[in-house]
Amino acid sequence: MASKQQGRSVFGSGADRICAVVAASTAREMAAQVLAAQHLTRTIELRLDWLTDQGQLLKLLHWIHGHRRNTRFIATCRTREGGGRSMLRDGAELVVLGLATASGCLWCDVELETFRSLPRGIVRDVVGPARVIISHHDFQRTPRDLPRLMRECHSYKADVVKVAANARSVTESVRLLKLTRQSRNVIAIPMSEAGMPARVLALREGSALAYAPVAEATAPGQVSLHEMKHLYRAHELTRRTHVYGVIGNPVSQSLGPLLHNAGFIAKKVDAVYLPFLVDDLVDFLNAAPEMGVRGFSVTIPHKQAILRHLHECDPLATEIGAVNTVVVRGNGKLFGCNTDYVGVLRALERRLRLKGSRVLLFGAGGAARAAAFALARAGAQVAVCARREKKARELARAAGGEALPRRALRSQFFDAIVNTTPVGMFPHAGASPLLAREVNCGIVMDMIYRPEKTQLLKLAARKGCEAVPGVEMFLAQGFAQWEIWTEQRAPEAAMRRAVLRKLRGDEHVARAAGHRRSGP
Ligand code: NAP
């Protein structure tokens, strides 16, 4: 993509190019959001269409008049047709924007449809001295003829043109970002979860603004203001920044962005890690060079399929038949390897002499394969038990271990049992893959890391087994990825802190919600 570095836009420079979106039903809540946003940026969009009535509107505008110093307020009154909540039609929303201008909003956002429906010149007359963003929203698709759309927008002589469109793939989001090459006064917003990485990268490509909500999301695929500034550091990214990410579906719950970005921040590495929602691998691989992607983690459902697209693969990953880490070499060639392997070993070998020990893997999917090969190579006797006995037999054979039927678990003892199934994972945290009488071992490891303490681990602790949470494997495989990409030691303490803080915070929220539900 163009190497145009746009340090300064019409909205200023640095974090002021991140526009905080303030949206709530009352003036009081909107004012509270403005105060919170002012700590992070001096550019704030007021979604006036979210207010429930005119009384709230007047209250808010009166308050804004007293708090307008040092802030560039953008007034928006989005109509239903434009994806907003205002019932006003036929340009009547301009009256609201006129009031906002009179209260000190320096900018107004007016829909292209409003310009189209009114005689030329009216918008300027009503919004007075405010500068105007002309915006076009398409919640269905990325318009095919973007150049024509841009020509039309420019013909109305607005100060800035904003195009927000549903990006159904990574390629579509790249197409939208390319709009920002044309002029400094363009805002490109790829909507949808697939477009989320491009939202973060928009500023470095030259978009005049990137939008991020203070509280509730107002459009698909948004990143919160706090994350946009502190986790992804959107305003600091340049064309020199190395882009990494996780590809898969789903990815929205991935802790990878927290883990890796915490490492980049701690070690001051000019890099960012983003969640890429990818259904179509080829689409992503075609768009990756345009986005400057230098490496990526691979998760469900692409861990096996990615092998076909690699130029080179670590022999161990080939043997396992799954890749979770890809490095994009300088010449664009893809190299794949598997750090789940390292993750299992690091989590277990601290507690157990693997050589000669007997380890049961419950489940026979991709993660089980990595574990089976890792443990067998470390000298452990591997047993595999899975709901489909054929799969257990295949894996056991490949790794040189034994397959066991489920009924055998009651009467056998293992040094360690590793759950490799998703049973017990959020949001089904109440389930356990094994019964108490099937847990006969010294150590139980659960690969699931959400929640941190699964039902299986609780059950294991009650039986006096040592419980190893999946987050240990997650962290270890992540540290290994980070080191492969950056070629330096991972700042493990900072990365671990970021992930555990999030996991424990989420569990605290879940517990509080549970108490509220079961409360008096
Ligand atoms: P996968 O390839 O889909 O394999 C899942 C395995 O679990 C399959 O053997 C599947 O059996 C079995 N399974 C699914 N539902 C089951 C049920 N209700 N009862 C019994 N068995 C069931 O997935 P994966 O990539 O191996 O991942 C498995 C788990 O490990 C996930 O929870 C994942 O988040 C976790 N994981 C954690 C880490 C980490 O770093 N901590 C790394 C990788 C994976 P069928 O083949 O019969 O469907």
Side-chain angles (χ1 to χ4, degrees), residues 117-132:
S117 67
L118 297 171
R120 282 189 182 253
I122 283 199
V123 172
R124 288 279 178 199
D125 288 347
V126 179
V127 302
R131 299 175 83 184
V132 174

Side-chain angles (χ1 to χ4, degrees), residues 93-131:
E93 74 276 11
L94 290 180
V95 178
V96 173
L97 297 182
L99 285 173
T101 307
S103 304
C105 290
L106 299 179
W107 284 82
C108 287
D109 182 318
V110 182
E111 287 156 43
L112 171 62
E113 290 66 26
T114 304
F115 275 91
R116 279 178 182 155
S117 67
L118 297 171
R120 282 189 182 253
I122 283 199
V123 172
R124 288 279 178 199
D125 288 347
V126 179
V127 302
R131 299 175 83 184

Side-chain angles (χ1 to χ4, degrees), residues 19 90-91 203 309 323 362 370 385 434 443 468:
C19 177
D90 304 326
L203 291 183
H309 302 279
V323 156
F362 187 64
C385 175
L434 294 171
I443 296 173
V468 184

